[in-house]
Amino acid sequence: SQTIHQWPATLVQPVGSPLSLECTVEGTSNPNLYWYRQAAGRGLQLLFYSVGIGQISSEVPQNLSASRPQDRQFILSSKKLLLSDSGFYLCAWNEGEEYGYTFGSGTRLTVV
Amino acid sequence: AQRVTQAQTEISVVEKEDVTLDCVYETRDTTYYLFWYKQPPSGELVFLIRRNSFDEQNEISGRYSWNFQKSTSSFNFTITASQVVDSAVYFCALYAGGYQKVTFGTGTKLQVIP
């Protein structure tokens, strides 16, 4: 069966520090991968998605970037965090949008 | 363009009451998919159901049931005999194909009071 792993679960980082969140999927090949952010108001915002290795699409211009160095690995990064980057980050995968998403357990990021 | 509206921001019910969460969607596409997700306090979003636009049959899964009505563009979710473990934020979502991505509603926070 397929599983998705996301870490760390919580992170407190100072403003201006770098960020690296990692997500891996097991049990499937060539999944679509996604990074979502959920700010305090509960809404879900799509940040990045990838349909293959090295293919990244950005939905919202911001202080973040994403990379997909391996088929089942998706990384969210920032060179310098801003206070506004605080939030709950969720990785997700699917085999097509019509199937919905399977989400990871999320990373709660607090920038101080 | 596609849109999902969950007009109920927060709902509180007493345990064992039935509760319906509303979801109204907008799309011009004739083929589309609707979803419900549950986000408990732990944060992880859990997939509950997927429905395509050609299947209007209502679905029941234990205490959960879904009423899909194309005539009113609604996909409502009912929890029968609610329990404290049902306390969560529930998201309705829509995917209408092509280059569009899944659109989520803003969520309904359900609190079940013991």
Side-chain angles (χ1 to χ4, degrees):
Chain A
S1 64
Q2 302 91 354
T3 56
I4 179 169
H5 303 280
Q6 186 180 343
W7 66 94
T10 59
L11 196 58
V12 180
Q13 293 283 94
V15 169
S17 64
L19 173 73
S20 181
L21 303 180
E22 189 163 343
C23 172
T24 60
V25 180
E26 296 178 357
T28 186
S29 296
N30 198 32
N32 296 332
L33 296 171
Y34 306 83
W35 279 110
Y36 273 87
R37 178 169 61 195
Q38 188 175 31
R42 293 203 312 260
L44 289 160
Q45 180 186 38
L46 178 62
L47 301 176
F48 301 95
Y49 67 94
S50 171
V51 298
I53 296 175
Q55 300 179 58
I56 309 294
S57 296
S58 173
E59 290 291 302
V60 181
Q62 57 211 320
N63 186 41
L64 302 169
S65 62
S67 62
R68 184 169 177 173
Q70 300 181 41
D71 182 42
R72 289 167 290 177
Q73 183 185 29
F74 205 24
I75 298 172
L76 182 69
S77 304
S78 173
K79 293 182 179 178
K80 290 185 177 182
L81 283 168
L82 306 173
L83 287 174
S84 57
D85 292 324
S86 293
F88 189 56
Y89 289 81
L90 288 154
C91 181
W93 78 274
N94 63 29
E95 294 178 343
E97 295 275 345
E98 65 270 31
Y99 301 109
Y101 296 117
T102 299
F103 285 90
S105 53
T107 296
R108 197 164 303 278
L109 171 67
T110 304
V111 182
V112 296
Chain B
Q2 52 188 41
R3 183 184 301 178
V4 175
T5 301
Q6 294 180 256
Q8 304 151 307
T9 304
E10 293 192 30
I11 302 175
S12 289
V13 298
V14 177
E15 198 171 22
K16 297 185 182 178
E17 288 185 345
D18 299 347
V19 58
T20 295
L21 309 183
D22 298 332
C23 174
V24 174
Y25 62 93
E26 294 178 35
T27 179
R28 295 181 179 178
D29 293 274
T30 55
T31 301
Y32 52 88
Y33 300 84
L34 295 162
F35 310 89
W36 275 96
Y37 292 87
K38 174 183 179 180
Q39 187 177 38
S42 61
E44 180 177 352
L45 272 91
V46 178
F47 170 87
L48 295 178
I49 190 172
R50 165 181 176 263
R51 173 71 68 203
N52 73 55
S53 54
F54 299 108
D55 183 1
E56 286 194 75
Q57 285 190 353
N58 292 330
E59 180 153 341
I60 298 175
S61 177
R63 297 184 296 106
Y64 294 174
S65 62
W66 290 270
N67 183 2
F68 177 30
Q69 292 197 340
K70 291 176 74 170
S71 60
T72 56
S73 297
S74 64
F75 187 42
N76 296 337
F77 173 30
T78 297
I79 301 175
T80 303
S82 60
Q83 299 177 4
V84 172
V85 293
D86 296 326
S87 297
V89 179
Y90 291 86
F91 290 93
C92 181
L94 164 70
Y95 172 64
Y99 293 101
Q100 301 173 100
K101 293 294 152 191
V102 171
T103 298
F104 283 89
T106 52
T108 296
K109 183 176 183 179
L110 172 65
Q111 183 178 14
V112 181
I113 303 167

